[in-house]
Amino acid sequence: MTLLETLAFPVLFIWFVGLLLTFFRRDLEPHWKFFFFLVFCFYLVQFFPEFWLGVTRWKENPKGEVLQWISAMGNSIYVFLFFLWPLVLIRIYYSASNNLSKTLIPALAYGTVLYWALFFLWTLYSKEFNEWLHQIFANK
């Protein structure tokens, strides 16, 4: 199963919740809300087969699906950081405001180091951590 197949259902579900919350914002203009809805619909149609597979897996084994989501989120953050770092470095160079650089640099640097530390602990103690997760989710 690919990363996209694993994460399509939880990402689109969270996106739907966020979309509903933006509909209740009074300070957003209606055309932006409509645009957000169109973007969501585009991705829902684009990834509907993966989304529907996630729904059926969730119905069959919700606890096992949550375990797959946890693992897939770690992998997706790894890929996201791979794409994010070069874009942020270019953005920092072209930034006219020093405030953006002063907030973005530490947030991205500390976030990456935290991810690497958690990833290192995951690889070092993956057997124990997986057993602990299975005790929590699978055996209850």
Side-chain angles (χ1 to χ4, degrees):
M1 183 176 344
T2 65
L3 189 62
L4 179 62
E5 290 172 343
T6 305
L7 289 179
F9 172 60
V11 168
L12 285 169
F13 179 75
I14 293 168
W15 194 341
F16 177 73
V17 171
L19 183 64
L20 286 178
L21 293 174
T22 58
F23 285 159
F24 290 109
R25 292 265 323 242
R26 292 184 179 156
D27 58 341
L28 285 176
E29 297 160 355
H31 68 277
W32 288 120
K33 293 177 184 182
F34 182 70
F35 179 74
F36 298 157
F37 178 73
L38 286 179
V39 171
F40 172 76
C41 287
F42 172 79
Y43 282 108
L44 181 63
V45 169
Q46 185 74 29
F47 298 115
F48 189 76
E50 293 85 1
F51 172 77
W52 196 248
L53 283 174
V55 170
T56 57
R57 284 192 316 269
W58 172 260
K59 288 179 181 178
E60 292 171 3
N61 185 10
K63 294 176 183 178
E65 190 67 13
V66 169
L67 290 175
Q68 285 184 352
W69 294 349
I70 292 170
S71 176
M73 284 294 186
N75 293 337
S76 65
I77 291 170
Y78 182 80
V79 173
F80 178 71
L81 287 174
F82 176 72
F83 287 112
L84 184 66
W85 266 100
L87 297 174
V88 168
L89 293 176
I90 292 169
R91 175 67 177 112
I92 288 170
Y93 175 76
Y94 284 110
S95 176
S97 169
N98 283 338
N99 290 334
L100 175 70
S101 298
K102 288 179 183 177
T103 58
L104 189 60
I105 292 170
L108 191 59
Y110 293 141
T112 301
V113 169
L114 176 67
Y115 172 78
W116 286 346
L118 292 173
F119 182 77
F120 175 73
L121 290 173
W122 172 269
T123 57
L124 194 61
Y125 299 107
S126 62
K127 180 181 176 188
E128 294 85 357
F129 189 67
N130 284 334
E131 289 175 1
W132 178 71
L133 283 176
H134 280 286
Q135 285 178 355
I136 290 175
F137 287 107
N139 293 333
K140 284 190 176 182

